[in-house]
Amino acid sequence: MQTQSPPVMLSVRRHTRIPDHVSTSTIPRCPARSVRLRELIEEDIPAWFERATDIESADLAGDPVPGSIDLGIPWLQRQRDKFRQKVALRWAIVPIGSTVSVGTVGLTIMSDKEHTAEFGIVIARSYWSKGIGTSVTNLINSYAFTILGLTQIQAEVLQRNAASIRLLEKTGFQRMSTIPATSTEPEELFLYVLSMPATSAA
């Protein structure tokens, strides 16, 4: 996950989907006047490619750097397919007064029975330290609990990713454990968790 700094790592798991009776047609509305969320479109591909080829961020996210902007077409299709199947929801982050996205944010369903999802956000380097990450993270957390009916949101982050750790802790996530290194992830990770507030559960 990338915020106003390098990204939070998200684990690879067998994902489920949002139950059919839960509507995902409503786009989260950001109370902040600086940005809005919308669906991903073809015009977002150049901005995606610029973010994805940021070597530092890709390293901290554990993501491969795309070799061609042409890979943006299958990237967009994967996001749309996952959204339609209700296994992952992702929106573009767009500054007010602009049509160009500066990042993406979303949730990937980990367990429909346990009502749990993984959180991910990516923001272009030129928009770091402007409060966008905090505003959008709080918005998605609220949407997850009140609209989707989730009870827990998780994120995994490299221990050296101090800025993304600050974002998670600032928006209410708590460090729950350390995940040991593996053959596919040679660095230890921190697991952060945000549970549904008592007022939302009532």
Side-chain angles (χ1 to χ4, degrees), residues 1 42 69 71 191:
M1 176 186 99
E42 286 80 0
I69 195 172
L71 295 175
L191 172 65

Side-chain angles (χ1 to χ4, degrees), residues 124-194:
R125 184 181 294 270
S126 58
Y127 284 84
W128 292 357
S129 302
K130 297 181 183 295
I132 293 176
T134 301
S135 296
V136 173
T137 300
N138 283 328
L139 172 67
I140 295 301
N141 292 344
S142 176
Y143 178 87
F145 296 137
T146 61
I147 303 300
L148 300 183
L150 299 178
T151 59
Q152 188 179 92
I153 308 170
Q154 298 184 6
E156 294 175 5
V157 57
L158 286 171
Q159 293 186 13
R160 57 187 169 93
N161 193 347
S164 287
I165 288 173
R166 285 196 299 272
L167 173 74
L168 291 174
E169 293 180 347
K170 185 176 182 179
T171 53
F173 284 81
Q174 295 184 339
R175 185 186 304 176
M176 298 302 293
S177 64
T178 298
I179 302 173
T182 66
S183 58
T184 56
E185 175 47 63
E187 296 186 58
E188 290 187 343
L189 305 171
F190 288 139
L191 172 65
Y192 275 83
V193 172
L194 179 68

Side-chain angles (χ1 to χ4, degrees), residues 25-41:
S25 61
T26 302
I27 296 176
R29 302 297 179 186
C30 190
R33 297 182 179 181
S34 57
V35 294
R36 63 186 176 90
L37 302 185
R38 62 159 168 75
E39 65 178 329
L40 293 168
I41 57 177

Side-chain angles (χ1 to χ4, degrees), residues 42-54:
E42 286 80 0
E43 287 76 9
D44 292 325
I45 292 176
W48 162 81
F49 185 70
E50 181 179 353
R51 294 190 302 270
T53 51
D54 184 317

